[in-house]
Amino acid sequence: MNQPKSDNVKFAITTPLYYVNAAPHIGSAYTTIVADVIARFHRLQGHSVLMITGTDEHGQKIQRAAEERGIAPQEHCDAIADSFAALWHKLNIHYDRFSRTTAIKHHAIVKEFFNRVWNNKDIYLSKQQGWYCVSCEEFKEERELLEGGLCPIHTNKKVEWRDEDNYFFRLSQYQERLEKLYREQPDFIQPESRRNEVLNFVKGGLQDFSISRVNLEWGFPIPHDPNHTIYVWFDALLGYVTALLEPEDEPTLDNALKNYWPINIHLIGKDILRFHAVYWPAMLMSAGMTLPGKVFGHGFLTKDGRKMGKTLGNTIDPIALLDRYGSDAVRYYFLKEIEFGQDGDFNETRFVNVLNADLANDFGNLLNRSLGMLKKYCQSQVPEVRVSDFSETHPLKSMGVKLSDRVVNAYKSLNFTGVCEEIFNLIRACNKYIDEQAPWSLYKQKQQGEVERVLYAVLESVRLCAYLLSPIIPNLCGDIYQQLGFELDFNNLTLINKPELFAEHSRWGILAGGQTLNKTHPIFNKLELPSQESNP
């Protein structure tokens, strides 16, 4: 899914590389939707964007999952990786690179990075004893465990006692440098609650962490000691770097870092915050590499107010949800209804009500009624009205001329709820404006000029809202744009990735008069709740 590269601002964003022990779930879909929205926003501005997603395919959990299925680990990984790619396609996600940690080029990058850190004397052999959660791929302190020796995160999984030689990374050596990083770059970790969590963790004193395992075949061997296999974080995190290689590049760090490094933002769930906000920058410091711009740890998703889990039988099947409602509906709900960074809840009744109220009633009906009146009162021709005919205090123009700046600021701060609220304030103002101006009455009173000004102001406001909302719901906004006479497809990255296009289309007052708009069809049909038996 490579996209055109502009000569403008470069922007790189990553999702986690998702673990392939099982098929993708709604949590991984949520992170990837958000990454796609951010990437689309930057493309809309004409930036040269690289969006990276992918799969983390090594480790004991993967080896065991493959054994349970009676297949080879690589066969297992191939099937699960394909299921992630298929879901991203169904969600209308336009990633640029899909990084897989079983790739041959990735092995070369991992080896070179390991050797850099080894040569910096930040890796040593020692003994590791403790309780280990295979699902977390992490040692746990005894005080963290639940009754019965259960993992506090995977509450149905017992931890295992491990006593083995491991290679360790000297994380403790980077205590002061990390504290300086957090102090001098306060927005390195976001949101504020995640930053505070990391600061408290680091304040308690950093301990060196294990970077290898023994008796594990599924992974890359330690370069100088093949009896040890490189453990997840010195493998998986490097997948972000491998993804930067161009297809023709030799797999070296210099080649990988030449264009899009450092990454602007790593999007992750809060469960892997420590590894990205503490381990990863320390590893990069040791290897002499520039640090990423930001790590954003979002919250967890619940369903009907309860934690989701297979044992509870309340998981959300993202494929079933998409088959029932479509990608725009799913994207809009999770971006608008969940404050990014906080925990959020999915409730199907609320989902249907929000989509019907916002997209079917407010937005869809606004366009349909406006085009209907345009056909009835103006023979479907856009009125030839000059923007200067509208005063600066005009209720729609006054909102429209300021909307782009407000929405851009909301996108930049990852306030997607705010993006939607700003745009729908104008949409609702349009509906109110039509009711107050009553163009049907003006038409009867032979005030054709006033009718035309009302309809132009509404249609132009609808256009602007669709343009600014397109990173979130690209299909619906593309349909609106086409109904308004524009040949702009928000899924055509070559077409939209132009700075001059954003400068023109993000301002109020560009709808061309005199054109005939005869493409009229519902843009969003009302949703209905399914029967109880078929809930996703």
Side-chain angles (χ1 to χ4, degrees), residues 214-235:
V214 294
N215 302 317
L216 175 64
E217 296 177 1
W218 189 238
F220 298 139
I222 293 284
H224 62 277
D225 189 348
N227 293 322
H228 287 255
T229 300
I230 293 177
Y231 171 56
V232 59
W233 302 115
F234 257 70
D235 178 356

Side-chain angles (χ1 to χ4, degrees), residues 142-303:
E142 191 162 0
R143 60 186 174 86
E144 295 180 87
L145 303 179
L146 303 179
E147 186 177 350
L150 297 174
C151 171
I153 295 176
H154 301 90
T155 54
N156 61 337
K157 302 282 188 181
K158 271 198 165 188
V159 294
E160 303 173 2
W161 179 258
R162 296 287 177 89
D163 184 353
E164 60 188 37
D165 287 338
N166 286 173
Y167 283 92
F168 285 78
F169 173 71
R170 298 185 193 275
L171 181 64
S172 58
Q173 296 287 92
Y174 291 87
Q175 174 99 25
E176 291 184 5
R177 289 183 64 180
L178 287 170
E179 289 175 336
K180 181 181 179 183
L181 166 68
Y182 306 144
R183 186 169 59 251
E184 295 181 352
Q185 298 182 39
D187 61 346
F188 177 75
I189 305 167
Q190 291 188 349
E192 187 70 20
S193 57
R194 303 286 105 79
R195 170 179 158 78
N196 291 336
E197 181 183 330
V198 169
L199 291 180
N200 288 333
F201 172 75
V202 174
K203 186 178 180 180
L206 293 177
Q207 304 295 316
D208 298 348
F209 66 88
S210 168
I211 65 168
S212 76
R213 293 289 178 269
V214 294
N215 302 317
L216 175 64
E217 296 177 1
W218 189 238
F220 298 139
I222 293 284
H224 62 277
D225 189 348
N227 293 322
H228 287 255
T229 300
I230 293 177
Y231 171 56
V232 59
W233 302 115
F234 257 70
D235 178 356
L237 291 170
L238 271 297
Y240 301 137
V241 178
T242 304
L244 300 174
L245 290 166
E246 296 295 336
E248 68 278 5
D249 283 344
E250 289 296 315
T252 67
L253 286 175
D254 285 345
N255 282 336
L257 304 180
K258 65 186 177 183
N259 285 325
Y260 280 93
W261 188 265
I263 301 294
N264 295 81
I265 178 169
H266 289 303
L267 286 188
I268 58 168
K270 64 181 180 180
D271 54 325
I272 53 174
L273 176 67
R274 182 190 309 174
F275 310 114
H276 284 77
V278 181
Y279 292 13
W280 182 224
M283 290 161 57
L284 293 170
M285 289 173 182
S286 177
M289 291 167 59
T290 308
L291 303 187
K294 183 183 303 181
V295 175
F296 195 106
H298 66 72
F300 289 154
L301 299 179
T302 57
K303 183 181 180 185

